[in-house]
mmCIF file of all heavy atoms in Angstrom:
data_model
loop_
_atom_site.group_PDB
_atom_site.id
_atom_site.type_symbol
_atom_site.label_atom_id
_atom_site.label_comp_id
_atom_site.label_asym_id
_atom_site.label_seq_id
_atom_site.Cartn_x
_atom_site.Cartn_y
_atom_site.Cartn_z
ATOM 1 N N SER A 1 116.387 114.628 97.404
ATOM 2 C CA SER A 1 117.110 113.934 96.389
ATOM 3 C C SER A 1 116.876 114.675 95.010
ATOM 4 O O SER A 1 116.053 115.527 94.937
ATOM 5 C CB SER A 1 116.679 112.524 96.246
ATOM 6 O OG SER A 1 115.344 112.389 95.961
ATOM 7 N N GLY A 2 117.658 114.253 94.062
ATOM 8 C CA GLY A 2 117.443 114.766 92.737
ATOM 9 C C GLY A 2 118.489 115.823 92.257
ATOM 10 O O GLY A 2 118.509 116.291 91.145
ATOM 11 N N GLY A 3 119.362 116.205 93.187
ATOM 12 C CA GLY A 3 120.331 117.235 92.876
ATOM 13 C C GLY A 3 121.400 116.585 91.902
ATOM 14 O O GLY A 3 121.487 115.369 91.703
ATOM 15 N N GLY A 4 122.247 117.468 91.326
ATOM 16 C CA GLY A 4 123.269 117.101 90.382
ATOM 17 C C GLY A 4 123.926 118.231 89.718
ATOM 18 O O GLY A 4 123.754 119.349 90.105
ATOM 19 N N LEU A 5 124.701 117.849 88.701
ATOM 20 C CA LEU A 5 125.381 118.837 87.914
ATOM 21 C C LEU A 5 124.720 118.927 86.543
ATOM 22 O O LEU A 5 124.528 118.006 85.841
ATOM 23 C CB LEU A 5 126.863 118.372 87.710
ATOM 24 C CG LEU A 5 127.703 119.236 86.729
ATOM 25 C CD1 LEU A 5 127.917 120.611 87.308
ATOM 26 C CD2 LEU A 5 129.064 118.524 86.559
ATOM 27 N N VAL A 6 124.386 120.202 86.147
ATOM 28 C CA VAL A 6 123.755 120.514 84.908
ATOM 29 C C VAL A 6 124.422 121.744 84.306
ATOM 30 O O VAL A 6 124.946 122.548 85.054
ATOM 31 C CB VAL A 6 122.214 120.689 85.022
ATOM 32 C CG1 VAL A 6 121.557 119.375 85.518
ATOM 33 C CG2 VAL A 6 121.898 121.834 85.963
ATOM 34 N N GLN A 7 124.199 121.888 83.036
ATOM 35 C CA GLN A 7 124.668 123.076 82.345
ATOM 36 C C GLN A 7 123.617 124.130 82.413
ATOM 37 O O GLN A 7 122.414 123.834 82.600
ATOM 38 C CB GLN A 7 124.967 122.804 80.911
ATOM 39 C CG GLN A 7 126.230 121.925 80.609
ATOM 40 C CD GLN A 7 126.560 121.779 79.228
ATOM 41 O OE1 GLN A 7 125.671 121.575 78.345
ATOM 42 N NE2 GLN A 7 127.895 121.827 78.886
ATOM 43 N N ALA A 8 124.053 125.425 82.318
ATOM 44 C CA ALA A 8 123.057 126.528 82.324
ATOM 45 C C ALA A 8 122.010 126.220 81.221
ATOM 46 O O ALA A 8 122.352 125.903 80.102
ATOM 47 C CB ALA A 8 123.828 127.816 82.093
ATOM 48 N N GLY A 9 120.792 126.503 81.597
ATOM 49 C CA GLY A 9 119.637 126.256 80.698
ATOM 50 C C GLY A 9 119.027 124.904 80.830
ATOM 51 O O GLY A 9 117.917 124.693 80.382
ATOM 52 N N GLY A 10 119.644 124.070 81.611
ATOM 53 C CA GLY A 10 119.126 122.771 81.829
ATOM 54 C C GLY A 10 118.093 122.664 82.939
ATOM 55 O O GLY A 10 117.726 123.699 83.523
ATOM 56 N N SER A 11 117.572 121.483 83.248
ATOM 57 C CA SER A 11 116.544 121.349 84.321
ATOM 58 C C SER A 11 116.902 120.172 85.174
ATOM 59 O O SER A 11 117.646 119.216 84.917
ATOM 60 C CB SER A 11 115.223 120.930 83.542
ATOM 61 O OG SER A 11 114.800 121.968 82.657
ATOM 62 N N LEU A 12 116.335 120.327 86.421
ATOM 63 C CA LEU A 12 116.474 119.314 87.444
ATOM 64 C C LEU A 12 115.101 119.270 88.092
ATOM 65 O O LEU A 12 114.413 120.235 88.209
ATOM 66 C CB LEU A 12 117.542 119.546 88.397
ATOM 67 C CG LEU A 12 118.965 119.240 88.025
ATOM 68 C CD1 LEU A 12 119.905 119.843 89.097
ATOM 69 C CD2 LEU A 12 119.208 117.794 87.794
ATOM 70 N N ARG A 13 114.783 118.048 88.660
ATOM 71 C CA ARG A 13 113.620 117.943 89.521
ATOM 72 C C ARG A 13 114.018 117.409 90.878
ATOM 73 O O ARG A 13 114.504 116.325 90.936
ATOM 74 C CB ARG A 13 112.526 117.049 88.873
ATOM 75 C CG ARG A 13 111.251 117.001 89.641
ATOM 76 C CD ARG A 13 110.335 115.918 89.148
ATOM 77 N NE ARG A 13 108.925 116.146 89.569
ATOM 78 C CZ ARG A 13 108.069 115.117 89.625
ATOM 79 N NH1 ARG A 13 108.382 113.870 89.365
ATOM 80 N NH2 ARG A 13 106.819 115.414 90.000
ATOM 81 N N LEU A 14 113.815 118.248 91.921
ATOM 82 C CA LEU A 14 114.195 117.827 93.278
ATOM 83 C C LEU A 14 112.973 117.191 93.959
ATOM 84 O O LEU A 14 111.859 117.577 93.647
ATOM 85 C CB LEU A 14 114.696 118.979 94.114
ATOM 86 C CG LEU A 14 115.878 119.855 93.497
ATOM 87 C CD1 LEU A 14 116.215 120.898 94.530
ATOM 88 C CD2 LEU A 14 116.963 118.903 93.158
ATOM 89 N N SER A 15 113.263 116.221 94.757
ATOM 90 C CA SER A 15 112.176 115.596 95.577
ATOM 91 C C SER A 15 112.589 115.700 96.990
ATOM 92 O O SER A 15 113.743 115.657 97.427
ATOM 93 C CB SER A 15 112.008 114.125 95.181
ATOM 94 O OG SER A 15 111.604 113.969 93.869
ATOM 95 N N CYS A 16 111.545 115.696 97.854
ATOM 96 C CA CYS A 16 111.748 115.611 99.311
ATOM 97 C C CYS A 16 110.701 114.711 99.894
ATOM 98 O O CYS A 16 109.540 114.932 99.830
ATOM 99 C CB CYS A 16 111.582 117.085 99.976
ATOM 100 S SG CYS A 16 111.523 117.035 101.720
ATOM 101 N N ALA A 17 111.259 113.570 100.370
ATOM 102 C CA ALA A 17 110.365 112.581 100.951
ATOM 103 C C ALA A 17 110.310 112.737 102.438
ATOM 104 O O ALA A 17 111.284 112.893 103.173
ATOM 105 C CB ALA A 17 110.953 111.159 100.605
ATOM 106 N N ALA A 18 109.078 112.696 102.923
ATOM 107 C CA ALA A 18 108.807 112.921 104.397
ATOM 108 C C ALA A 18 108.353 111.633 104.980
ATOM 109 O O ALA A 18 107.760 110.802 104.271
ATOM 110 C CB ALA A 18 107.821 114.025 104.548
ATOM 111 N N SER A 19 108.626 111.519 106.239
ATOM 112 C CA SER A 19 108.174 110.330 107.049
ATOM 113 C C SER A 19 106.687 110.349 107.140
ATOM 114 O O SER A 19 105.969 111.425 106.962
ATOM 115 C CB SER A 19 108.856 110.301 108.416
ATOM 116 O OG SER A 19 108.462 111.512 109.136
ATOM 117 N N GLY A 20 106.140 109.148 107.332
ATOM 118 C CA GLY A 20 104.743 108.991 107.394
ATOM 119 C C GLY A 20 104.084 109.907 108.423
ATOM 120 O O GLY A 20 104.611 110.066 109.534
ATOM 121 N N ARG A 21 102.924 110.430 108.075
ATOM 122 C CA ARG A 21 102.138 111.269 108.972
ATOM 123 C C ARG A 21 102.815 112.545 109.420
ATOM 124 O O ARG A 21 102.496 113.141 110.445
ATOM 125 C CB ARG A 21 101.676 110.455 110.241
ATOM 126 C CG ARG A 21 100.799 109.290 109.885
ATOM 127 C CD ARG A 21 100.440 108.533 111.177
ATOM 128 N NE ARG A 21 99.503 107.446 110.849
ATOM 129 C CZ ARG A 21 99.845 106.221 110.515
ATOM 130 N NH1 ARG A 21 101.145 105.945 110.353
ATOM 131 N NH2 ARG A 21 99.028 105.216 110.280
ATOM 132 N N ALA A 22 103.753 112.927 108.609
ATOM 133 C CA ALA A 22 104.495 114.213 108.968
ATOM 134 C C ALA A 22 104.410 115.123 107.772
ATOM 135 O O ALA A 22 105.284 116.052 107.692
ATOM 136 C CB ALA A 22 105.986 113.844 109.199
ATOM 137 N N PHE A 23 103.503 114.899 106.853
ATOM 138 C CA PHE A 23 103.454 115.679 105.640
ATOM 139 C C PHE A 23 102.116 116.452 105.487
ATOM 140 O O PHE A 23 102.112 117.631 105.403
ATOM 141 C CB PHE A 23 103.731 114.832 104.382
ATOM 142 C CG PHE A 23 103.928 115.549 103.117
ATOM 143 C CD1 PHE A 23 105.152 116.164 102.868
ATOM 144 C CD2 PHE A 23 102.899 115.660 102.215
ATOM 145 C CE1 PHE A 23 105.439 116.762 101.676
ATOM 146 C CE2 PHE A 23 103.154 116.316 101.046
ATOM 147 C CZ PHE A 23 104.374 116.892 100.773
ATOM 148 N N SER A 24 101.039 115.670 105.482
ATOM 149 C CA SER A 24 99.717 116.364 105.313
ATOM 150 C C SER A 24 99.430 117.270 106.465
ATOM 151 O O SER A 24 99.743 117.011 107.621
ATOM 152 C CB SER A 24 98.657 115.263 105.215
ATOM 153 O OG SER A 24 98.831 114.457 104.124
#
């Protein structure tokens, strides 16, 4: 999540949520 439309020079922060016990 976190994608979108931005102008050059701008910023975005993407996130990736994982299911439980599937990350660490």
Side-chain angles (χ1 to χ4, degrees):
S1 62
L5 173 64
V6 297
Q7 291 186 320
S11 298
L12 284 173
R13 191 193 194 199
L14 305 183
S15 298
C16 173
S19 59
R21 297 178 178 86
F23 192 78
S24 296

